[in-house]
Amino acid sequence: WANPTTRVFETKVALLEGAEDALATASGMAAVSTAVVTSLRRGDHAVTPSAVYQATYQLFAQILPEFGIETTVIPDTSLEAYERALRSNTRLLYIETPNNPVLGITDIAGVVELARRQGAHTIADNTFATPYNQTPLALGVDVVVHSATKYLGGHHDLTAGALAGSGEFLQRAKRYLRIFGATIDPFGA
Protein backbone atom coordinates (compact mmCIF):
# COMPACT_ATOMS: atom_id res chain seq x y z
CA TRP A 1 0.00 0.00 0.00
CA ALA A 2 2.99 2.30 0.32
CA ASN A 3 6.53 2.57 -0.92
CA PRO A 4 9.26 5.22 -0.50
CA THR A 5 9.39 5.75 -4.27
CA THR A 6 5.62 6.23 -4.38
CA ARG A 7 5.84 8.74 -1.54
CA VAL A 8 8.44 10.79 -3.44
CA PHE A 9 6.15 10.90 -6.49
CA GLU A 10 3.19 11.97 -4.31
CA THR A 11 5.27 14.69 -2.65
CA LYS A 12 6.32 16.06 -6.05
CA VAL A 13 2.75 16.09 -7.38
CA ALA A 14 1.59 17.92 -4.25
CA LEU A 15 4.37 20.47 -4.70
CA LEU A 16 3.56 20.99 -8.39
CA GLU A 17 -0.16 21.46 -7.70
CA GLY A 18 0.28 23.54 -4.53
CA ALA A 19 -1.58 20.91 -2.51
CA GLU A 20 -1.22 19.76 1.08
CA ASP A 21 -0.70 16.22 -0.16
CA ALA A 22 -1.22 13.84 -3.08
CA LEU A 23 -1.96 10.18 -3.73
CA ALA A 24 -0.47 8.15 -6.55
CA THR A 25 -2.78 5.73 -8.34
CA ALA A 26 -2.46 2.88 -10.81
CA SER A 27 -4.17 4.88 -13.59
CA GLY A 28 -5.88 8.16 -14.33
CA MET A 29 -9.30 6.57 -13.93
CA ALA A 30 -8.21 5.21 -10.55
CA ALA A 31 -7.53 8.83 -9.55
CA VAL A 32 -10.85 10.08 -10.95
CA SER A 33 -12.99 7.30 -9.47
CA THR A 34 -11.25 7.45 -6.08
CA ALA A 35 -11.78 11.22 -5.84
CA VAL A 36 -15.42 10.97 -6.95
CA VAL A 37 -16.32 8.07 -4.63
CA THR A 38 -14.67 9.88 -1.73
CA SER A 39 -16.82 12.96 -2.45
CA LEU A 40 -20.26 11.39 -2.84
CA ARG A 41 -22.79 9.26 -0.95
CA ARG A 42 -26.11 7.65 -1.83
CA GLY A 43 -28.70 10.37 -2.41
CA ASP A 44 -26.15 12.97 -3.51
CA HIS A 45 -26.16 14.65 -6.91
CA ALA A 46 -23.18 15.38 -9.18
CA VAL A 47 -22.75 17.50 -12.30
CA THR A 48 -20.30 16.86 -15.14
CA PRO A 49 -20.00 18.07 -18.71
CA SER A 50 -20.61 15.55 -21.49
CA ALA A 51 -17.27 16.34 -23.12
CA VAL A 52 -14.95 14.55 -20.72
CA TYR A 53 -12.74 11.48 -21.01
CA GLN A 54 -15.02 8.60 -22.09
CA ALA A 55 -14.50 6.46 -18.98
CA THR A 56 -15.19 9.50 -16.77
CA TYR A 57 -18.42 10.04 -18.70
CA GLN A 58 -19.38 6.40 -18.10
CA LEU A 59 -18.61 6.71 -14.38
CA PHE A 60 -21.04 9.62 -14.05
CA ALA A 61 -23.69 8.57 -16.58
CA GLN A 62 -23.84 4.83 -15.88
CA ILE A 63 -21.99 3.67 -12.76
CA LEU A 64 -22.86 6.29 -10.11
CA PRO A 65 -26.64 6.04 -10.70
CA GLU A 66 -26.40 2.29 -10.01
CA PHE A 67 -25.24 3.24 -6.50
CA GLY A 68 -28.01 5.76 -5.83
CA ILE A 69 -26.04 8.85 -6.81
CA GLU A 70 -27.91 11.16 -9.16
CA THR A 71 -25.97 12.75 -11.97
CA THR A 72 -26.62 15.46 -14.49
CA VAL A 73 -24.51 15.48 -17.63
CA ILE A 74 -24.51 18.99 -19.03
CA PRO A 75 -24.16 19.67 -22.77
CA ASP A 76 -21.42 22.30 -22.44
CA THR A 77 -19.01 23.76 -19.88
CA SER A 78 -20.62 27.18 -19.48
CA LEU A 79 -21.34 28.54 -16.02
CA GLU A 80 -24.99 28.77 -17.04
CA ALA A 81 -25.11 25.05 -17.80
CA TYR A 82 -23.56 24.20 -14.42
CA GLU A 83 -25.95 26.57 -12.65
CA ARG A 84 -29.05 25.16 -14.39
CA ALA A 85 -28.03 21.67 -13.30
CA LEU A 86 -27.79 22.50 -9.58
CA ARG A 87 -30.20 20.81 -7.18
CA SER A 88 -30.64 20.98 -3.44
CA ASN A 89 -28.64 17.73 -3.08
CA THR A 90 -25.80 18.68 -5.46
CA ARG A 91 -22.52 17.81 -3.74
CA LEU A 92 -20.02 17.72 -6.62
CA LEU A 93 -19.26 19.82 -9.69
CA TYR A 94 -16.74 18.05 -11.91
CA ILE A 95 -14.41 20.01 -14.21
CA GLU A 96 -12.12 18.78 -16.98
CA THR A 97 -10.27 21.64 -18.63
CA PRO A 98 -9.09 21.58 -21.27
CA ASN A 99 -11.46 18.68 -21.77
CA ASN A 100 -10.87 15.47 -23.67
CA PRO A 101 -11.32 15.19 -26.63
CA VAL A 102 -12.47 18.62 -27.85
CA LEU A 103 -10.19 20.79 -25.66
CA GLY A 104 -13.01 23.01 -24.40
CA ILE A 105 -12.17 25.45 -21.62
CA THR A 106 -14.09 25.86 -18.36
CA ASP A 107 -14.17 28.92 -16.10
CA ILE A 108 -12.66 27.14 -13.11
CA ALA A 109 -13.07 30.00 -10.62
CA GLY A 110 -16.67 30.50 -11.74
CA VAL A 111 -17.57 26.84 -11.21
CA VAL A 112 -15.85 26.92 -7.80
CA GLU A 113 -17.99 29.92 -6.81
CA LEU A 114 -21.18 28.08 -7.85
CA ALA A 115 -20.10 25.03 -5.87
CA ARG A 116 -19.32 27.03 -2.74
CA ARG A 117 -22.70 28.75 -2.82
CA GLN A 118 -24.27 25.30 -3.14
CA GLY A 119 -22.16 23.70 -0.37
CA ALA A 120 -20.65 21.34 -2.96
CA HIS A 121 -17.12 20.18 -3.75
CA THR A 122 -15.18 20.56 -6.98
CA ILE A 123 -12.85 18.12 -8.68
CA ALA A 124 -10.77 19.26 -11.65
CA ASP A 125 -9.04 16.94 -14.08
CA ASN A 126 -5.80 18.76 -14.89
CA THR A 127 -4.35 16.08 -17.18
CA PHE A 128 -4.10 18.11 -20.37
CA ALA A 129 -3.00 21.43 -18.87
CA THR A 130 -0.67 20.04 -16.16
CA PRO A 131 0.49 22.26 -13.30
CA TYR A 132 2.85 23.90 -15.78
CA ASN A 133 -0.11 25.69 -17.40
CA GLN A 134 -2.72 25.91 -14.62
CA THR A 135 -3.12 25.15 -10.92
CA PRO A 136 -6.82 24.61 -10.19
CA LEU A 137 -6.27 24.45 -6.41
CA ALA A 138 -5.07 28.07 -6.53
CA LEU A 139 -8.46 28.92 -8.09
CA GLY A 140 -10.31 27.23 -5.20
CA VAL A 141 -10.85 23.70 -6.55
CA ASP A 142 -10.99 21.09 -3.79
CA VAL A 143 -9.26 18.18 -5.54
CA VAL A 144 -7.15 17.87 -8.69
CA VAL A 145 -6.80 14.58 -10.59
CA HIS A 146 -4.38 13.54 -13.31
CA SER A 147 -3.82 10.74 -15.72
CA ALA A 148 -0.04 10.66 -15.28
CA THR A 149 -0.01 8.26 -18.21
CA LYS A 150 -0.11 11.34 -20.41
CA TYR A 151 1.88 14.54 -19.81
CA LEU A 152 3.00 14.09 -16.19
CA GLY A 153 4.66 10.78 -17.11
CA GLY A 154 6.55 12.61 -19.81
CA HIS A 155 7.97 9.63 -21.64
CA HIS A 156 4.89 7.56 -22.52
CA ASP A 157 5.99 4.30 -20.91
CA LEU A 158 3.77 4.01 -17.85
CA THR A 159 0.18 3.87 -16.69
CA ALA A 160 -0.41 6.00 -13.59
CA GLY A 161 -2.56 8.66 -12.01
CA ALA A 162 -2.59 11.09 -9.12
CA LEU A 163 -4.96 13.12 -7.03
CA ALA A 164 -3.99 16.17 -4.99
CA GLY A 165 -5.80 18.22 -2.37
CA SER A 166 -6.17 18.60 1.36
CA GLY A 167 -4.56 16.12 3.72
CA GLU A 168 -7.96 15.38 5.27
CA PHE A 169 -9.57 14.51 1.93
CA LEU A 170 -6.65 12.31 0.89
CA GLN A 171 -6.75 10.40 4.19
CA ARG A 172 -10.36 9.49 3.41
CA ALA A 173 -9.47 8.71 -0.22
CA LYS A 174 -6.74 6.24 0.82
CA ARG A 175 -9.42 3.95 2.21
CA TYR A 176 -11.04 3.55 -1.22
CA LEU A 177 -7.79 3.52 -3.15
CA ARG A 178 -6.47 0.59 -1.15
CA ILE A 179 -9.70 -1.41 -1.04
CA PHE A 180 -10.22 -1.04 -4.80
CA GLY A 181 -6.63 -2.13 -5.46
CA ALA A 182 -5.77 1.05 -7.33
CA THR A 183 -2.37 1.69 -5.75
CA ILE A 184 0.52 2.34 -8.11
CA ASP A 185 3.47 -0.02 -8.37
CA PRO A 186 6.79 1.44 -7.18
CA PHE A 187 8.40 1.13 -10.63
CA GLY A 188 5.57 3.19 -12.15
CA ALA A 189 5.99 5.78 -9.41
Side-chain angles (χ1 to χ4, degrees):
W1 288 353
N3 180 280
T5 305
T6 301
R7 190 64 199 139
V8 168
F9 172 55
E10 292 169 338
T11 301
K12 289 181 186 239
V13 169
L15 180 65
L16 287 168
E17 284 292 353
E20 286 181 18
D21 206 353
L23 280 177
T25 64
S27 69
M29 273 313 298
V32 170
S33 57
T34 297
V36 169
V37 169
T38 302
S39 300
L40 296 169
R41 298 290 172 265
R42 176 180 293 279
D44 287 347
H45 173 253
V47 179
T48 187
S50 59
V52 291
Y53 181 65
Q54 184 60 33
T56 301
Y57 175 86
Q58 290 173 313
L59 172 67
F60 280 93
Q62 298 167 5
I63 303 299
L64 292 178
E66 292 177 7
F67 290 92
I69 297 169
E70 299 175 75
T71 60
T72 299
V73 177
I74 55 178
D76 61 73
T77 62
S78 69
L79 288 178
E80 295 77 19
Y82 275 98
E83 191 163 29
R84 281 191 306 271
L86 294 177
R87 299 181 187 168
S88 62
N89 62 335
T90 301
R91 296 295 168 259
L92 175 63
L93 300 182
Y94 189 85
I95 302 164
E96 184 177 293
T97 188
N99 61 19
N100 182 357
V102 297
L103 302 178
I105 303 298
T106 302
D107 177 353
I108 297 171
V111 174
V112 166
E113 177 59 32
L114 286 174
R116 288 195 174 149
R117 284 194 311 229
Q118 183 69 25
H121 288 91
T122 49
I123 297 173
D125 185 329
N126 202 27
T127 296
F128 274 22
T130 77
Y132 183 80
N133 293 302
Q134 72 184 8
T135 49
L137 294 174
L139 297 171
V141 165
D142 296 296
V143 179
V144 171
V145 295
H146 284 274
S147 172
T149 306
K150 296 174 181 73
Y151 304 110
L152 279 186
H155 35 75
H156 310 298
D157 62 354
L158 63 95
T159 301
L163 57 153
S166 73
E168 182 274 328
F169 182 87
L170 294 173
Q171 278 302 114
R172 289 188 294 124
K174 278 183 186 180
R175 175 177 159 214
Y176 297 105
L177 181 71
R178 291 174 177 168
I179 295 300
F180 294 154
T183 54
I184 192 172
D185 72 285
F187 293 106

